[in-house]
Amino acid sequence: MIIFMLMTLVACGSSTPPQQRNAELTVEYFGKKIKHEKPKWTKQSQLQEILNKPEKKYLIFGANWCEACGFLRRALREGELLHEVEFINIEEKWASDAANSYGIKSIPTMFSLDSENNIISVKIGPGEIVVHLLIHLEK
């Protein structure tokens, strides 16, 4: 009995959950791309590259612990709109500083930016964000 309990304790390791991965995934089958997923969160260096592009952008501030953010991500994946937005994790220092400078008080919050990075609109909450994207994005 004691050995079983010790094995259970050793097998469980620490009580902290594993770090979530933030990797890009591409699956090819016989040379044809059948699935492509970008990283869950946009890094600061990636965001700078995105902001340098002369096109409309959608930035969504969220966090891993936010249930509404998870719901929003699933809705965008199912609507095939996930690739059109950049998710920014406010748990990272640089993103938290940016969120504070923009006065973000609730997540998820989305900024629509024009090609010159001027804020066109701000949407708060998964419902408002999904509706806005469905209306303004072409599939």
Side-chain angles (χ1 to χ4, degrees):
M1 179 75 158
I2 292 175
I3 294 174
F4 177 73
M5 289 173 51
L6 287 174
M7 287 179 15
T8 304
L9 288 173
V10 172
C12 292
S14 75
S15 61
T16 58
Q19 290 286 334
Q20 290 200 0
R21 295 181 0 174
N22 193 37
E24 187 167 354
L25 171 70
T26 302
V27 178
E28 291 187 15
Y29 186 69
F30 290 109
K32 181 181 176 187
K33 188 186 296 186
I34 58 172
K35 182 173 185 163
H36 176 78
E37 288 186 16
K38 63 185 196 176
K40 184 173 182 179
W41 300 105
T42 302
K43 296 178 184 170
Q44 186 175 13
S45 59
Q46 293 170 316
L47 182 60
Q48 191 57 49
E49 290 176 24
I50 291 162
L51 292 175
N52 288 334
K53 294 179 182 177
E55 55 194 34
K56 198 171 186 180
K57 301 147 198 97
Y58 299 95
L59 308 178
I60 299 175
F61 288 83
N64 283 321
W65 48 263
C66 171
E67 290 182 28
C69 300
F71 171 80
L72 173 61
R73 189 178 296 277
R74 285 188 300 278
L76 294 178
R77 183 180 301 116
E78 288 176 16
E80 298 179 4
L81 299 172
L82 194 57
H83 63 282
E84 300 285 348
V85 300
E86 299 300 326
F87 275 90
I88 300 170
N89 186 355
I90 65 163
E91 295 172 299
E92 294 185 29
K93 174 81 170 107
W94 69 270
S96 177
D97 292 344
N100 287 334
S101 70
Y102 285 114
I104 294 175
K105 304 244 187 277
S106 177
I107 57 173
T109 294
M110 181 183 77
F111 288 107
S112 299
L113 306 177
D114 66 13
S115 60
E116 296 174 0
N117 297 329
N118 298 310
I119 297 173
I120 301 169
S121 66
V122 178
K123 303 297 177 193
I124 300 171
E128 196 172 314
I129 292 170
V130 169
V131 168
H132 180 83
L133 291 172
L134 285 171
I135 292 171
H136 292 92
L137 290 176
E138 296 178 19
K139 275 184 75 174

